[in-house]
Amino acid sequence: MTTTTQQSEQSNPSDDSVAGGLLPLVAIVFTSFLCIGIPLPALPLHVNGVLGFSALTVGWVVGIQSFSTILSRKFSGSYCDRHGPKRAVAVGLPMAAVAGLLYLASTLIADAGASLVVLFIGRLLMGPAESLFLTGTMTWGIGRVGMQRTGKVMAWQGIAMFAALGLGAPIGIAIQQRFGFAGVALTTMVLPLVGLAIAATLRALPALGRKGGGVAMSEVLRLIWRFGLALALSAMPFAIITSFLVLLYATNNWSGAGIAILGFSAGYVGVRLFFAHLPDRIGGAKVGAVSVAIELAGQLLLWQSHDPVMAGLGTLLTGIGFSLVFPSMGVQAMARVPAHSRGLAVATFMAFIDLAAGLTGPVVGVLIGYFGYGAAFLAGAVACVLALLLMLSGMASARAGRPA
């Protein structure tokens, strides 16, 4: 068999080989992201209820991981390009386990201040750990099944991420109630090692980074900023729902906020399960534009909602719309970056989600203070309009033959 034929087969894998190539990596993402999702509801209870610190301190302990992740994105992407995705995963997962060990060590310290410092260091360490193993698994998946399946890679691994974050909350609360924060910490320490055991069974891919470095991060940003910014804007409604939907229901004395959030999750996961192939098949630009339009309709319904049924429908539509934005924008972003800098491109692209997660709460919180909870979803609608304008302008530039 000729080299050309081999390359052709590798670039056009069958559905079975795609599943075989992605499922182990999806399992790694799921088990590893549980170590991020499980501590989230337990940390406030521990820092405030056990250690006795204020809500402001709780916010810093919870939020510092996101800032740490953002700051480590460039390093993790470059490391993945230079040393290969398996190496990035093999470094990130033990780092996450060490973060869990620091969580556990903090529970053994009697002095509350010293315990908080050790816990804070663990949270700082979890940021680059997440950045390394997520960049590695995403890049590894694209390398295993081919660039033309980028949308499917991002869709499947996105399901694993959100499923782990969603399941992590009730699991974390249950562990906290029965075993205390020490049980949460021990679980956080063990889960990455499960992912590491799976990674050890998989064949490594060659590092594609060039000697002397690949494309500079500034150049990567120039190539993908439009798609990353569109992703960040379209992720704002998700952050708004997770932060403020329950308060909207409580303010209006409505019941069923949990059902509405479940509807968001059902719409999000359902679309990804059945339509994850669309960005690869018909193009990320078209799928992304339609997705954000659906998301916009959901936010407008939430803004104008007068009863829980209308609000629930708006939440469902938001989940359906948001579902394919990440893979749609990812397909377009990855297509513009050379293979030897793909890890840096993945890391830079993911940083836009971190940016949305970090900024949405404070910005929208100010709007709510002035105009009430309905303004949160109007802000989400405006973000969707801006994302849609970015996508449409990119499509117009592409038709005109200019770089998007």
Side-chain angles (χ1 to χ4, degrees):
M1 182 178 292
T2 67
T3 301
T4 302
T5 305
Q6 289 173 341
Q7 290 174 343
S8 177
E9 287 186 354
Q10 290 171 355
S11 63
N12 294 282
S14 67
D15 289 341
D16 289 341
S17 65
V18 169
L22 290 183
L23 285 178
L25 296 172
V26 169
I28 293 171
V29 173
F30 178 73
T31 55
S32 304
F33 248 81
L34 278 174
C35 78
I36 294 170
I38 286 174
L40 284 179
L43 281 166
L45 297 173
H46 178 67
V47 174
N48 179 259
V50 177
L51 298 181
F53 289 97
S54 67
L56 178 62
T57 303
V58 170
W60 273 108
V61 171
V62 172
I64 194 62
Q65 183 193 320
S66 294
F67 290 104
S68 179
T69 303
I70 292 174
L71 293 175
S72 61
R73 288 291 189 192
K74 181 181 185 299
F75 165 77
S76 63
S78 299
Y79 187 91
C80 184
D81 289 328
R82 290 196 308 268
H83 301 287
K86 183 171 184 177
R87 181 83 168 271
V89 173
V91 172
L93 292 177
M95 192 181 293
V98 173
L101 179 62
L102 288 170
Y103 294 179
L104 183 61
S106 73
T107 66
L108 305 176
I109 301 173
D111 180 74
S115 176
L116 180 69
V117 169
V118 174
L119 178 61
F120 198 81
I121 295 171
R123 296 292 292 164
L124 280 171
L125 187 61
M126 189 62 83
E130 175 196 338
S131 189
L132 278 165
F133 73 68
L134 187 58
T135 300
T137 51
M138 199 78 71
T139 308
W140 205 352
I142 294 171
R144 280 171 70 89
V145 304
M147 267 294 296
Q148 76 279 15
R149 304 292 183 116
T150 296
K152 183 164 284 190
V153 173
M154 292 188 166
W156 284 24
Q157 295 201 12
I159 289 175
M161 289 166 54
F162 280 92
L165 290 174
L167 291 173
I171 292 173
I173 292 172
I175 295 174
Q176 171 91 338
Q177 290 175 341
R178 182 157 187 181
F179 302 106
F181 190 71
V184 172
L186 185 61
T187 305
T188 303
M189 185 176 69
V190 170
L191 282 170
L193 301 180
V194 176
L196 187 63
I198 298 171
T201 67
L202 303 178
R203 180 176 61 85
L205 296 179
L208 298 177
R210 294 173 177 172
K211 292 182 179 180
V215 177
M217 189 173 186
S218 58
E219 178 64 11
V220 171
L221 274 171
R222 187 188 70 80
L223 293 169
I224 72 169
W225 71 269
R226 186 190 302 275
F227 314 108
L229 186 55
L231 172 66
L233 289 166
S234 59
M236 287 182 65
F238 166 69
I240 290 168
I241 284 175
T242 55
S243 300
F244 301 113
L245 184 71
V246 173
L247 297 176
L248 173 72
Y249 271 68
T251 301
N252 289 289
N253 294 316
W254 296 340
S255 61
I259 295 174
I261 293 175
L262 181 62
F264 175 93
S265 301
Y268 178 92
V269 173
V271 169
R272 282 210 173 182
L273 285 175
F274 295 104
F275 302 105
H277 62 284
L278 289 181
D280 293 321
R281 181 168 296 179
I282 66 177
K286 293 178 181 178
V287 175
V290 172
S291 296
V292 174
I294 295 172
E295 194 178 5
L296 171 60
Q299 289 295 286
L300 291 174
L301 277 175
L302 278 162
W303 173 44
Q304 291 295 312
S305 58
H306 303 296
D307 56 64
V309 174
M310 190 174 178
L313 179 59
T315 307
L316 173 64
L317 285 175
T318 302
I320 290 172
F322 180 55
S323 183
L324 293 182
V325 176
F326 176 63
S328 295
M329 295 300 96
V331 165
Q332 294 183 279
M334 295 308 108
R336 283 158 175 76
V337 180
H340 61 269
S341 294
R342 191 177 297 149
L344 182 58
V346 168
T348 305
F349 186 66
M350 295 294 295
F352 282 94
I353 293 183
D354 300 329
L355 185 67
L359 293 179
T360 298
V363 171
V364 174
V366 171
L367 292 175
I368 290 172
Y370 281 103
F371 305 108
Y373 286 104
F377 304 102
L378 178 59
V382 171
C384 288
V385 170
L386 293 175
L388 192 57
L389 290 174
L390 275 171
M391 294 178 186
L392 294 176
S393 67
M395 293 167 68
S397 296
R399 283 194 296 268
R402 299 190 302 270

